[in-house]
mmCIF file of all heavy atoms in Angstrom:
data_model
loop_
_atom_site.group_PDB
_atom_site.id
_atom_site.type_symbol
_atom_site.label_atom_id
_atom_site.label_comp_id
_atom_site.label_asym_id
_atom_site.label_seq_id
_atom_site.Cartn_x
_atom_site.Cartn_y
_atom_site.Cartn_z
ATOM 1 N N GLU A 11 52.937 -50.167 1.760
ATOM 2 C CA GLU A 11 52.684 -51.158 0.696
ATOM 3 C C GLU A 11 51.463 -51.991 1.140
ATOM 4 O O GLU A 11 51.220 -52.320 2.344
ATOM 5 C CB GLU A 11 53.909 -52.073 0.672
ATOM 6 C CG GLU A 11 55.151 -51.380 0.156
ATOM 7 C CD GLU A 11 55.074 -51.066 -1.333
ATOM 8 O OE1 GLU A 11 54.283 -51.778 -2.017
ATOM 9 O OE2 GLU A 11 55.654 -50.180 -1.786
ATOM 10 N N PHE A 12 50.607 -52.334 0.178
ATOM 11 C CA PHE A 12 49.392 -53.104 0.487
ATOM 12 C C PHE A 12 49.516 -54.493 -0.204
ATOM 13 O O PHE A 12 49.918 -54.559 -1.360
ATOM 14 C CB PHE A 12 48.196 -52.396 -0.082
ATOM 15 C CG PHE A 12 47.823 -51.122 0.582
ATOM 16 C CD1 PHE A 12 48.171 -49.878 0.023
ATOM 17 C CD2 PHE A 12 47.240 -51.139 1.815
ATOM 18 C CE1 PHE A 12 47.807 -48.684 0.646
ATOM 19 C CE2 PHE A 12 46.898 -49.931 2.472
ATOM 20 C CZ PHE A 12 47.226 -48.710 1.922
ATOM 21 N N ALA A 13 49.112 -55.459 0.560
ATOM 22 C CA ALA A 13 49.120 -56.834 -0.036
ATOM 23 C C ALA A 13 47.831 -57.049 -0.834
ATOM 24 O O ALA A 13 46.865 -56.285 -0.669
ATOM 25 C CB ALA A 13 49.069 -57.801 1.213
ATOM 26 N N PRO A 14 47.914 -58.098 -1.702
ATOM 27 C CA PRO A 14 46.695 -58.289 -2.481
ATOM 28 C C PRO A 14 45.556 -58.751 -1.590
ATOM 29 O O PRO A 14 45.810 -59.444 -0.526
ATOM 30 C CB PRO A 14 47.144 -59.484 -3.412
ATOM 31 C CG PRO A 14 48.625 -59.384 -3.435
ATOM 32 C CD PRO A 14 49.070 -58.912 -2.079
ATOM 33 N N VAL A 15 44.369 -58.395 -1.866
ATOM 34 C CA VAL A 15 43.174 -58.754 -1.082
ATOM 35 C C VAL A 15 42.759 -60.188 -1.394
ATOM 36 O O VAL A 15 42.810 -60.575 -2.587
ATOM 37 C CB VAL A 15 42.030 -57.814 -1.295
ATOM 38 C CG1 VAL A 15 41.540 -57.854 -2.773
ATOM 39 C CG2 VAL A 15 40.917 -58.063 -0.310
ATOM 40 N N ARG A 16 42.396 -60.941 -0.408
ATOM 41 C CA ARG A 16 41.892 -62.271 -0.572
ATOM 42 C C ARG A 16 40.511 -62.407 0.068
ATOM 43 O O ARG A 16 40.182 -61.545 0.924
ATOM 44 C CB ARG A 16 42.901 -63.361 0.117
ATOM 45 C CG ARG A 16 44.228 -63.281 -0.469
ATOM 46 C CD ARG A 16 44.302 -63.953 -1.820
ATOM 47 N NE ARG A 16 45.696 -64.085 -2.289
ATOM 48 C CZ ARG A 16 46.238 -63.234 -3.189
ATOM 49 N NH1 ARG A 16 45.542 -62.242 -3.695
ATOM 50 N NH2 ARG A 16 47.541 -63.348 -3.581
ATOM 51 N N LEU A 17 39.788 -63.407 -0.263
ATOM 52 C CA LEU A 17 38.495 -63.621 0.377
ATOM 53 C C LEU A 17 38.609 -63.816 1.856
ATOM 54 O O LEU A 17 37.832 -63.333 2.632
ATOM 55 C CB LEU A 17 37.755 -64.870 -0.273
ATOM 56 C CG LEU A 17 36.333 -65.034 0.162
ATOM 57 C CD1 LEU A 17 35.428 -63.844 -0.141
ATOM 58 C CD2 LEU A 17 35.765 -66.297 -0.518
ATOM 59 N N ALA A 18 39.673 -64.516 2.206
ATOM 60 C CA ALA A 18 39.935 -64.693 3.688
ATOM 61 C C ALA A 18 40.143 -63.377 4.361
ATOM 62 O O ALA A 18 39.888 -63.200 5.559
ATOM 63 C CB ALA A 18 41.140 -65.646 3.878
ATOM 64 N N THR A 19 40.775 -62.392 3.592
ATOM 65 C CA THR A 19 40.987 -61.068 4.266
ATOM 66 C C THR A 19 39.681 -60.400 4.541
ATOM 67 O O THR A 19 39.516 -59.759 5.655
ATOM 68 C CB THR A 19 41.799 -60.234 3.249
ATOM 69 O OG1 THR A 19 42.923 -60.939 2.678
ATOM 70 C CG2 THR A 19 42.290 -58.933 3.893
ATOM 71 N N LEU A 20 38.702 -60.523 3.680
ATOM 72 C CA LEU A 20 37.429 -59.877 3.923
ATOM 73 C C LEU A 20 36.668 -60.557 5.070
ATOM 74 O O LEU A 20 36.129 -59.868 5.961
ATOM 75 C CB LEU A 20 36.518 -59.951 2.685
ATOM 76 C CG LEU A 20 37.148 -59.387 1.367
ATOM 77 C CD1 LEU A 20 36.050 -59.488 0.254
ATOM 78 C CD2 LEU A 20 37.574 -57.986 1.638
ATOM 79 N N ARG A 21 36.796 -61.904 5.131
ATOM 80 C CA ARG A 21 36.206 -62.609 6.289
ATOM 81 C C ARG A 21 36.838 -62.202 7.602
ATOM 82 O O ARG A 21 36.180 -61.972 8.611
ATOM 83 C CB ARG A 21 36.353 -64.091 6.113
ATOM 84 C CG ARG A 21 35.521 -64.684 4.977
ATOM 85 C CD ARG A 21 35.436 -66.206 5.127
ATOM 86 N NE ARG A 21 34.929 -66.842 3.973
ATOM 87 C CZ ARG A 21 35.719 -67.539 3.055
ATOM 88 N NH1 ARG A 21 37.013 -67.573 3.255
ATOM 89 N NH2 ARG A 21 35.174 -68.061 2.017
ATOM 90 N N ALA A 22 38.202 -62.108 7.627
ATOM 91 C CA ALA A 22 38.935 -61.703 8.855
ATOM 92 C C ALA A 22 38.522 -60.292 9.305
ATOM 93 O O ALA A 22 38.351 -59.963 10.442
ATOM 94 C CB ALA A 22 40.478 -61.828 8.635
ATOM 95 N N ALA A 23 38.372 -59.392 8.287
ATOM 96 C CA ALA A 23 38.029 -57.984 8.593
ATOM 97 C C ALA A 23 36.604 -57.968 9.251
ATOM 98 O O ALA A 23 36.516 -57.186 10.222
ATOM 99 C CB ALA A 23 38.054 -57.168 7.334
ATOM 100 N N LEU A 24 35.700 -58.664 8.743
ATOM 101 C CA LEU A 24 34.374 -58.708 9.337
ATOM 102 C C LEU A 24 34.379 -59.307 10.720
ATOM 103 O O LEU A 24 33.741 -58.809 11.724
ATOM 104 C CB LEU A 24 33.382 -59.587 8.503
ATOM 105 C CG LEU A 24 32.997 -58.940 7.144
ATOM 106 C CD1 LEU A 24 32.294 -59.976 6.265
ATOM 107 C CD2 LEU A 24 32.125 -57.696 7.361
ATOM 108 N N ALA A 25 35.220 -60.403 10.979
ATOM 109 C CA ALA A 25 35.293 -60.993 12.286
ATOM 110 C C ALA A 25 35.917 -60.035 13.282
ATOM 111 O O ALA A 25 35.486 -59.957 14.447
ATOM 112 C CB ALA A 25 36.063 -62.310 12.194
ATOM 113 N N LEU A 26 36.955 -59.430 12.875
ATOM 114 C CA LEU A 26 37.683 -58.358 13.768
ATOM 115 C C LEU A 26 36.800 -57.184 14.074
ATOM 116 O O LEU A 26 36.743 -56.691 15.151
ATOM 117 C CB LEU A 26 38.994 -58.008 13.106
ATOM 118 C CG LEU A 26 40.102 -59.003 13.058
ATOM 119 C CD1 LEU A 26 41.306 -58.556 12.199
ATOM 120 C CD2 LEU A 26 40.615 -59.424 14.459
ATOM 121 N N GLY A 27 36.039 -56.790 13.079
ATOM 122 C CA GLY A 27 35.082 -55.704 13.255
ATOM 123 C C GLY A 27 34.008 -56.024 14.263
ATOM 124 O O GLY A 27 33.631 -55.256 15.123
ATOM 125 N N TRP A 28 33.489 -57.265 14.199
ATOM 126 C CA TRP A 28 32.452 -57.734 15.164
ATOM 127 C C TRP A 28 33.089 -57.795 16.541
ATOM 128 O O TRP A 28 32.521 -57.460 17.557
ATOM 129 C CB TRP A 28 31.998 -59.065 14.733
ATOM 130 C CG TRP A 28 30.838 -59.651 15.559
ATOM 131 C CD1 TRP A 28 30.906 -60.573 16.564
ATOM 132 C CD2 TRP A 28 29.510 -59.141 15.535
ATOM 133 N NE1 TRP A 28 29.661 -60.728 17.176
ATOM 134 C CE2 TRP A 28 28.802 -59.869 16.604
ATOM 135 C CE3 TRP A 28 28.784 -58.176 14.730
ATOM 136 C CZ2 TRP A 28 27.434 -59.756 16.749
ATOM 137 C CZ3 TRP A 28 27.468 -58.030 15.021
ATOM 138 C CH2 TRP A 28 26.808 -58.783 16.026
ATOM 139 N N ARG A 29 34.336 -58.235 16.667
ATOM 140 C CA ARG A 29 35.005 -58.295 17.931
ATOM 141 C C ARG A 29 35.118 -56.902 18.623
ATOM 142 O O ARG A 29 34.839 -56.710 19.746
ATOM 143 C CB ARG A 29 36.393 -58.919 17.774
ATOM 144 C CG ARG A 29 37.215 -59.110 19.023
ATOM 145 C CD ARG A 29 38.682 -59.149 18.805
ATOM 146 N NE ARG A 29 39.167 -57.903 18.279
ATOM 147 C CZ ARG A 29 40.431 -57.728 17.798
ATOM 148 N NH1 ARG A 29 41.275 -58.627 17.877
ATOM 149 N NH2 ARG A 29 40.792 -56.511 17.294
ATOM 150 N N ASP A 30 35.503 -55.951 17.813
ATOM 151 C CA ASP A 30 35.670 -54.615 18.285
ATOM 152 C C ASP A 30 34.319 -53.996 18.698
ATOM 153 O O ASP A 30 34.241 -53.217 19.636
ATOM 154 C CB ASP A 30 36.353 -53.707 17.216
ATOM 155 C CG ASP A 30 37.829 -54.008 17.078
ATOM 156 O OD1 ASP A 30 38.321 -54.812 17.879
ATOM 157 O OD2 ASP A 30 38.432 -53.396 16.209
ATOM 158 N N LEU A 31 33.221 -54.265 17.921
ATOM 159 C CA LEU A 31 31.957 -53.855 18.289
ATOM 160 C C LEU A 31 31.540 -54.315 19.668
ATOM 161 O O LEU A 31 31.011 -53.577 20.528
ATOM 162 C CB LEU A 31 30.942 -54.297 17.236
ATOM 163 C CG LEU A 31 29.442 -54.173 17.613
ATOM 164 C CD1 LEU A 31 29.080 -52.711 17.875
ATOM 165 C CD2 LEU A 31 28.541 -54.682 16.520
ATOM 166 N N ARG A 32 31.803 -55.616 19.941
ATOM 167 C CA ARG A 32 31.468 -56.187 21.229
ATOM 168 C C ARG A 32 32.341 -55.630 22.347
ATOM 169 O O ARG A 32 31.867 -55.511 23.524
ATOM 170 C CB ARG A 32 31.650 -57.676 21.202
ATOM 171 C CG ARG A 32 30.733 -58.369 20.195
ATOM 172 C CD ARG A 32 30.820 -59.884 20.159
ATOM 173 N NE ARG A 32 30.546 -60.500 21.468
ATOM 174 C CZ ARG A 32 30.683 -61.750 21.741
ATOM 175 N NH1 ARG A 32 31.199 -62.593 20.804
ATOM 176 N NH2 ARG A 32 30.374 -62.195 22.923
ATOM 177 N N ARG A 33 33.549 -55.190 22.015
ATOM 178 C CA ARG A 33 34.476 -54.671 23.034
ATOM 179 C C ARG A 33 34.241 -53.198 23.314
ATOM 180 O O ARG A 33 34.752 -52.711 24.343
ATOM 181 C CB ARG A 33 35.930 -54.881 22.668
ATOM 182 C CG ARG A 33 36.279 -56.369 22.596
ATOM 183 C CD ARG A 33 37.641 -56.560 21.922
ATOM 184 N NE ARG A 33 38.753 -55.968 22.695
ATOM 185 C CZ ARG A 33 40.000 -55.980 22.326
ATOM 186 N NH1 ARG A 33 40.359 -56.470 21.155
ATOM 187 N NH2 ARG A 33 40.901 -55.428 23.090
ATOM 188 N N ALA A 34 33.610 -52.520 22.399
ATOM 189 C CA ALA A 34 33.394 -51.017 22.577
ATOM 190 C C ALA A 34 31.916 -50.631 22.305
ATOM 191 O O ALA A 34 31.679 -49.797 21.461
ATOM 192 C CB ALA A 34 34.365 -50.317 21.661
ATOM 193 N N LYS A 35 31.052 -51.313 23.022
ATOM 194 C CA LYS A 35 29.591 -51.098 22.787
ATOM 195 C C LYS A 35 29.154 -49.653 23.002
ATOM 196 O O LYS A 35 28.353 -49.146 22.338
ATOM 197 C CB LYS A 35 28.726 -52.067 23.586
ATOM 198 C CG LYS A 35 28.971 -53.557 23.356
ATOM 199 C CD LYS A 35 28.068 -54.353 24.179
ATOM 200 C CE LYS A 35 28.259 -55.865 23.997
ATOM 201 N NZ LYS A 35 29.546 -56.285 24.661
ATOM 202 N N ARG A 36 29.717 -49.005 24.043
ATOM 203 C CA ARG A 36 29.269 -47.710 24.404
ATOM 204 C C ARG A 36 29.608 -46.670 23.285
ATOM 205 O O ARG A 36 28.879 -45.785 23.075
ATOM 206 C CB ARG A 36 29.893 -47.230 25.729
ATOM 207 C CG ARG A 36 31.380 -47.029 25.778
ATOM 208 C CD ARG A 36 31.859 -46.856 27.162
ATOM 209 N NE ARG A 36 33.245 -46.424 27.222
ATOM 210 C CZ ARG A 36 34.333 -47.306 27.211
ATOM 211 N NH1 ARG A 36 34.089 -48.546 27.012
ATOM 212 N NH2 ARG A 36 35.480 -46.825 27.295
ATOM 213 N N PHE A 37 30.753 -46.886 22.675
ATOM 214 C CA PHE A 37 31.081 -45.980 21.567
ATOM 215 C C PHE A 37 30.155 -46.192 20.367
ATOM 216 O O PHE A 37 29.757 -45.283 19.660
ATOM 217 C CB PHE A 37 32.507 -46.212 21.070
ATOM 218 C CG PHE A 37 33.608 -45.728 22.113
ATOM 219 C CD1 PHE A 37 34.131 -46.577 23.020
ATOM 220 C CD2 PHE A 37 33.943 -44.367 22.125
ATOM 221 C CE1 PHE A 37 35.079 -46.184 23.987
ATOM 222 C CE2 PHE A 37 34.814 -43.975 23.096
ATOM 223 C CZ PHE A 37 35.404 -44.809 23.978
ATOM 224 N N ALA A 38 29.781 -47.448 20.183
ATOM 225 C CA ALA A 38 28.871 -47.749 19.054
ATOM 226 C C ALA A 38 27.525 -47.064 19.255
ATOM 227 O O ALA A 38 26.934 -46.578 18.320
ATOM 228 C CB ALA A 38 28.663 -49.276 18.979
ATOM 229 N N LEU A 39 26.970 -47.133 20.497
ATOM 230 C CA LEU A 39 25.773 -46.451 20.786
ATOM 231 C C LEU A 39 25.765 -45.003 20.536
ATOM 232 O O LEU A 39 24.801 -44.440 20.021
ATOM 233 C CB LEU A 39 25.322 -46.798 22.241
ATOM 234 C CG LEU A 39 24.950 -48.257 22.589
ATOM 235 C CD1 LEU A 39 24.697 -48.363 24.040
ATOM 236 C CD2 LEU A 39 23.698 -48.649 21.785
ATOM 237 N N VAL A 40 26.876 -44.381 20.905
ATOM 238 C CA VAL A 40 26.989 -42.926 20.758
ATOM 239 C C VAL A 40 27.166 -42.534 19.301
ATOM 240 O O VAL A 40 26.367 -41.726 18.711
ATOM 241 C CB VAL A 40 28.060 -42.311 21.620
ATOM 242 C CG1 VAL A 40 28.323 -40.883 21.334
ATOM 243 C CG2 VAL A 40 27.797 -42.530 23.086
ATOM 244 N N LEU A 41 28.142 -43.124 18.600
ATOM 245 C CA LEU A 41 28.477 -42.683 17.325
ATOM 246 C C LEU A 41 27.315 -43.056 16.296
ATOM 247 O O LEU A 41 26.913 -42.317 15.428
ATOM 248 C CB LEU A 41 29.752 -43.321 16.826
ATOM 249 C CG LEU A 41 31.045 -42.818 17.547
ATOM 250 C CD1 LEU A 41 32.283 -43.579 17.135
ATOM 251 C CD2 LEU A 41 31.221 -41.319 17.297
ATOM 252 N N ALA A 42 26.813 -44.325 16.408
ATOM 253 C CA ALA A 42 25.696 -44.727 15.579
ATOM 254 C C ALA A 42 24.399 -44.026 15.938
ATOM 255 O O ALA A 42 23.587 -43.756 15.095
ATOM 256 C CB ALA A 42 25.562 -46.233 15.584
ATOM 257 N N GLY A 43 24.281 -43.736 17.224
ATOM 258 C CA GLY A 43 23.091 -43.007 17.672
ATOM 259 C C GLY A 43 22.855 -41.700 16.951
ATOM 260 O O GLY A 43 21.746 -41.290 16.825
ATOM 261 N N VAL A 44 23.962 -41.000 16.646
ATOM 262 C CA VAL A 44 23.840 -39.695 15.948
ATOM 263 C C VAL A 44 23.160 -39.915 14.625
ATOM 264 O O VAL A 44 22.180 -39.162 14.252
ATOM 265 C CB VAL A 44 25.255 -39.085 15.746
ATOM 266 C CG1 VAL A 44 25.198 -37.873 14.874
ATOM 267 C CG2 VAL A 44 25.937 -38.781 17.090
ATOM 268 N N TYR A 45 23.491 -41.006 13.889
ATOM 269 C CA TYR A 45 22.836 -41.257 12.608
ATOM 270 C C TYR A 45 21.452 -41.673 12.725
ATOM 271 O O TYR A 45 20.496 -41.250 11.930
ATOM 272 C CB TYR A 45 23.649 -42.318 11.868
ATOM 273 C CG TYR A 45 24.943 -41.818 11.247
ATOM 274 C CD1 TYR A 45 26.138 -41.877 11.980
ATOM 275 C CD2 TYR A 45 25.021 -41.361 9.959
ATOM 276 C CE1 TYR A 45 27.249 -41.403 11.445
ATOM 277 C CE2 TYR A 45 26.122 -40.937 9.453
ATOM 278 C CZ TYR A 45 27.297 -40.930 10.151
ATOM 279 O OH TYR A 45 28.452 -40.521 9.635
ATOM 280 N N VAL A 46 21.151 -42.535 13.721
ATOM 281 C CA VAL A 46 19.808 -42.976 13.995
ATOM 282 C C VAL A 46 18.884 -41.806 14.348
ATOM 283 O O VAL A 46 17.780 -41.623 13.781
ATOM 284 C CB VAL A 46 19.732 -44.013 15.107
ATOM 285 C CG1 VAL A 46 18.267 -44.358 15.344
ATOM 286 C CG2 VAL A 46 20.523 -45.265 14.640
ATOM 287 N N ALA A 47 19.400 -40.923 15.230
ATOM 288 C CA ALA A 47 18.565 -39.817 15.693
ATOM 289 C C ALA A 47 18.277 -38.831 14.455
ATOM 290 O O ALA A 47 17.169 -38.337 14.327
ATOM 291 C CB ALA A 47 19.283 -39.046 16.787
ATOM 292 N N ALA A 48 19.379 -38.636 13.677
ATOM 293 C CA ALA A 48 19.183 -37.667 12.598
ATOM 294 C C ALA A 48 18.241 -38.296 11.545
ATOM 295 O O ALA A 48 17.446 -37.535 10.942
ATOM 296 C CB ALA A 48 20.593 -37.492 11.915
ATOM 297 N N GLY A 49 18.373 -39.609 11.240
ATOM 298 C CA GLY A 49 17.395 -40.168 10.280
ATOM 299 C C GLY A 49 15.923 -40.146 10.752
ATOM 300 O O GLY A 49 15.106 -39.780 9.985
ATOM 301 N N LEU A 50 15.727 -40.422 12.039
ATOM 302 C CA LEU A 50 14.391 -40.332 12.562
ATOM 303 C C LEU A 50 13.869 -38.913 12.568
ATOM 304 O O LEU A 50 12.649 -38.677 12.178
ATOM 305 C CB LEU A 50 14.353 -40.886 14.002
ATOM 306 C CG LEU A 50 14.590 -42.397 14.139
ATOM 307 C CD1 LEU A 50 14.695 -42.816 15.607
ATOM 308 C CD2 LEU A 50 13.520 -43.211 13.499
ATOM 309 N N ALA A 51 14.754 -37.971 12.879
ATOM 310 C CA ALA A 51 14.255 -36.537 12.955
ATOM 311 C C ALA A 51 13.957 -36.059 11.534
ATOM 312 O O ALA A 51 12.978 -35.395 11.237
ATOM 313 C CB ALA A 51 15.378 -35.704 13.560
ATOM 314 N N LEU A 52 14.804 -36.419 10.519
ATOM 315 C CA LEU A 52 14.577 -35.965 9.156
ATOM 316 C C LEU A 52 13.307 -36.559 8.607
ATOM 317 O O LEU A 52 12.556 -35.941 7.834
ATOM 318 C CB LEU A 52 15.752 -36.243 8.315
ATOM 319 C CG LEU A 52 16.981 -35.349 8.523
ATOM 320 C CD1 LEU A 52 18.221 -35.898 7.911
ATOM 321 C CD2 LEU A 52 16.665 -33.916 8.034
#
Side-chain angles (χ1 to χ4, degrees):
E11 293 290 332
F12 292 104
V15 64
R16 302 283 185 261
L17 187 58
T19 313
L20 304 184
R21 293 198 192 100
L24 289 172
L26 291 169
W28 185 257
R29 181 203 64 183
D30 287 354
L31 168 61
R32 297 181 63 186
R33 294 170 66 185
K35 298 185 184 71
R36 66 187 190 279
F37 289 97
L39 289 174
V40 172
L41 293 175
V44 172
Y45 284 89
V46 174
L50 292 174
L52 286 166

